[in-house]
Amino acid sequence: MTKIEPLGAVRERVTADLRQEIIAGSLRPGDRLVERELAERFGVSRVPVREAIRALVAEGFVHFETPRRTVVRRLTPNDVKELFELREALEVYAAGLAASRATPQDLAAVQELLDRAATATEAGDAEAITDINSRLHDRIVAMAGNSLLTEALEPVAGRLRWMTRRNEEWPQLLVEHRELYEAIASGDPDRARAHALTHVRTNYRSTVRHLFGEEVP
């Protein structure tokens, strides 16, 4: 007997798949999302597709060009600037808290992610690098031990991953993440905040360069 998948689960699956296609670049800025075509591709009705599109609009991945035309959002320099300003404010603060509160188990988990990032970097595996680096940042925020801080970053985490996926300076990212880990492991909040600030600003410049071919002063 075939098990019927609940509508909510179908919606979440379609949303997650479309989100990942946008982050990975399979769906590019300006590409149109057509309910009928997506429903056929995913083998579902148009209802969960429609709800998935609305969720991605709320997350900032797509927008309605007209009432009948939905496309993947084209990022602007101001979009990137605003998100990195938020990241600077919250992630730098989180790094300082993490330096004060990290347990040996926390640090071991970050070290394991760094080892996996090194392997993925050597292999040039863009998808794995993006996933591991996102997990590393999530782990550092979790180490801060502040649930409100985690909740504040959650709505923009996907868009940050989308932007930073375009940055392919992977060996440099690995160096920066190792330095950030060492600063947090030192237990010195000031050192951790300083490294986090440098990392976010360097990543901002790299992202702008890769997205728009521009240099940030």
Side-chain angles (χ1 to χ4, degrees), residues 27-47:
L27 286 172
R28 302 180 63 82
D31 283 353
R32 188 178 180 189
L33 302 183
V34 180
E35 285 183 14
R36 174 179 49 78
E37 294 175 358
L38 292 173
E40 291 176 0
R41 177 153 72 87
F42 287 111
V44 300
S45 72
R46 293 174 65 170
V47 173

Side-chain angles (χ1 to χ4, degrees), residues 107-142:
L107 296 173
V110 174
Q111 183 61 67
E112 181 183 354
L113 287 170
L114 286 170
D115 292 342
R116 291 171 56 192
T119 301
T121 299
E122 186 175 350
D125 188 338
E127 186 172 346
I129 292 168
T130 302
D131 179 64
I132 294 166
N133 287 345
S134 295
R135 290 174 183 268
L136 187 146
H137 279 277
D138 290 345
R139 186 75 191 191
I140 291 173
V141 172

Side-chain angles (χ1 to χ4, degrees), residues 30-130:
D31 283 353
R32 188 178 180 189
L33 302 183
V34 180
E35 285 183 14
R36 174 179 49 78
E37 294 175 358
L38 292 173
E40 291 176 0
R41 177 153 72 87
F42 287 111
V44 300
S45 72
R46 293 174 65 170
V47 173
V49 171
R50 185 177 305 122
E51 293 179 352
I53 289 173
R54 288 173 180 166
L56 292 172
V57 169
E59 293 178 18
F61 284 100
V62 305
H63 74 114
F64 298 113
E65 275 193 342
T66 71
R68 294 180 176 272
R69 182 179 176 85
T70 308
V71 300
V72 178
R73 183 174 177 176
R74 295 178 177 86
L75 294 170
T76 68
N78 193 57
D79 291 331
V80 180
K81 178 175 178 288
E82 289 183 346
L83 275 169
F84 271 86
E85 285 175 345
L86 179 64
R87 184 180 175 190
E88 182 176 310
L90 299 182
E91 289 195 10
V92 172
Y93 181 60
L97 290 177
S100 300
R101 300 173 177 176
T103 66
Q105 291 77 17
D106 288 329
L107 296 173
V110 174
Q111 183 61 67
E112 181 183 354
L113 287 170
L114 286 170
D115 292 342
R116 291 171 56 192
T119 301
T121 299
E122 186 175 350
D125 188 338
E127 186 172 346
I129 292 168
T130 302

